Amino acid sequence: MEDEATTLAHAIGARVRHERTTRGWTLDQLSAAAGVSRRMLVNVEQGEANPSVGTLLRLAESLGLGLPALVEPPRTQTTRITRNGDGAVLWRGASGGSGVLVSVTQHPDVIELWEWRLEPGERHASEAHRDGTRELLHVHEGRLTVEVEGATLDLNTGDSLAFHGDLPHAYATTGSSPTRFSLAVYEPRVGEPRRTEHHRA
């Protein structure tokens, strides 16, 4: 698992560095555009950091890319299979939970498919995404609490939820058992300037 995380970190770092240098940007320019410290950016490009999903989202958006572009090589084929266990683990909880990006479409209108597992007591918070972002989730196991701009929604196994991802939101376990859920994120017009002042987590 550690080797997989290291391989992913190096792949992300190489892609960020490639996209930055292709644009003729300095480290300081990308740091300022993304709101990420120069030290963190250097660590990311060298594959030495374990950046949060929020940091990756800020970098991707500043470079005019979707998150998938940082974790996968460009592709032209019309189909792609992601085998079980081959998804990109982009979040790990303190108790062993994970957020895995298992499938994506290409920009400009990006759809991401995630598999999440939250251990008891774990919570993942996100600031508002790009204007127009929508999210769909389905609880496969356990109980899940979703917070959307201050509202708290309790879901049980088999429940599903559609909500605006361009509002602050969070996912948390409810109860003493792990929670598993799938999440689809639709993000329109990736690469275009943002129309709101929202920032991601």
Side-chain angles (χ1 to χ4, degrees):
M1 185 174 296
E2 186 65 29
D3 288 342
E4 291 178 4
T6 300
T7 299
L8 179 60
H10 282 290
I12 291 172
R15 187 64 193 275
V16 170
R17 184 170 57 253
H18 171 76
E19 294 294 340
R20 175 179 63 79
T21 57
T22 296
R23 289 161 177 74
W25 289 9
T26 65
L27 286 165
D28 289 331
Q29 286 175 313
L30 179 54
S31 171
V36 174
S37 73
R38 190 179 191 278
R39 178 179 295 275
M40 170 59 76
L41 179 55
V42 169
N43 288 341
V44 168
E45 289 197 356
Q46 293 178 347
E48 297 175 354
N50 182 23
S52 68
V53 175
T55 296
L56 294 177
L57 288 167
R58 290 190 187 103
L59 289 171
E61 184 163 285
S62 297
L63 292 167
L65 304 168
L67 176 62
L70 292 188
V71 301
E72 292 191 331
R75 62 181 189 272
T76 57
Q77 66 267 34
T78 57
T79 61
R80 180 179 185 275
I81 296 174
T82 302
R83 298 297 182 185
N84 185 27
D86 288 346
V89 182
L90 298 181
W91 179 84
R92 289 197 182 280
S95 299
S98 61
V100 183
L101 181 61
V102 295
S103 192
V104 298
T105 62
Q106 298 299 295
H107 67 289
D109 295 322
V110 173
I111 301 173
E112 303 168 3
L113 181 61
W114 294 74
E115 285 293 335
W116 284 83
R117 179 184 176 91
L118 299 180
E119 296 294 333
E122 289 185 329
R123 179 178 183 272
H124 174 74
S126 177
E127 294 180 10
H129 300 331
R130 168 179 290 274
D131 186 49
T133 297
R134 300 293 182 263
E135 301 196 17
L136 300 169
L137 67 80
H138 180 220
V139 181
H140 301 296
E141 177 185 346
R143 300 172 60 195
L144 179 70
T145 294
V146 181
E147 304 163 22
V148 183
E149 201 180 35
T152 300
L153 307 167
D154 294 319
L155 304 176
N156 296 309
T157 300
D159 290 345
S160 60
L161 175 68
F163 64 97
H164 287 213
D166 52 8
L167 299 172
H169 54 280
Y171 323 105
T173 47
T174 302
S176 57
S177 299
T179 298
R180 291 193 310 107
F181 64 97
S182 56
L183 175 71
V185 180
Y186 166 71
E187 186 177 14
R189 304 178 304 279
V190 169
E192 294 181 9
R194 294 178 66 126
R195 295 186 299 174
T196 72
E197 294 301 318
H198 292 154
H199 294 282
R200 297 192 190 228

